[in-house]
Amino acid sequence: MKKRSISIHGHATSVALEPEFWVEIDRIAKVYGMSVSALIRTLDDERLMSSPEQGLASYLRVFVLKQARQPTD
């Protein structure tokens, strides 16, 4: 597991994910033209609205999996 510290709406938090997930999150953030922090803030906002009982790390893993399953052009 690799931990990264990020700020979400002014609150510092740490997220622990396997390095492979961080590689994909970095890649996806670049594709979206966002910083990793901005991407995670956006995803955390979505998580809080759709499934607040799910932890952030779990939500990020599922997001990466869904992105991987999307067909490419």
Side-chain angles (χ1 to χ4, degrees):
M1 297 291 248
K2 181 177 178 182
K3 277 190 180 183
R4 288 197 189 175
S5 296
I6 57 169
S7 177
I8 299 176
H9 302 298
H11 295 88
T13 189
S14 292
V15 179
L17 295 171
E18 294 77 5
E20 296 84 358
F21 282 100
W22 284 121
V23 167
E24 287 303 305
I25 288 172
D26 289 339
R27 184 189 65 75
I28 293 165
K30 285 179 186 172
V31 168
Y32 288 172
M34 304 172 80
S35 68
V36 170
S37 294
L39 175 62
I40 291 175
R41 272 194 306 274
T42 300
L43 294 171
D44 191 47
D45 290 345
E46 290 176 12
R47 175 187 70 88
L48 292 173
M49 292 183 70
S50 64
S51 52
E53 69 286 347
Q54 187 176 18
L56 178 57
S58 174
Y59 193 83
L60 293 174
R61 285 184 187 95
V62 172
F63 169 77
V64 168
L65 177 62
K66 286 179 180 177
Q67 291 293 305
R69 288 183 171 175
Q70 286 187 357
T72 57
D73 293 304

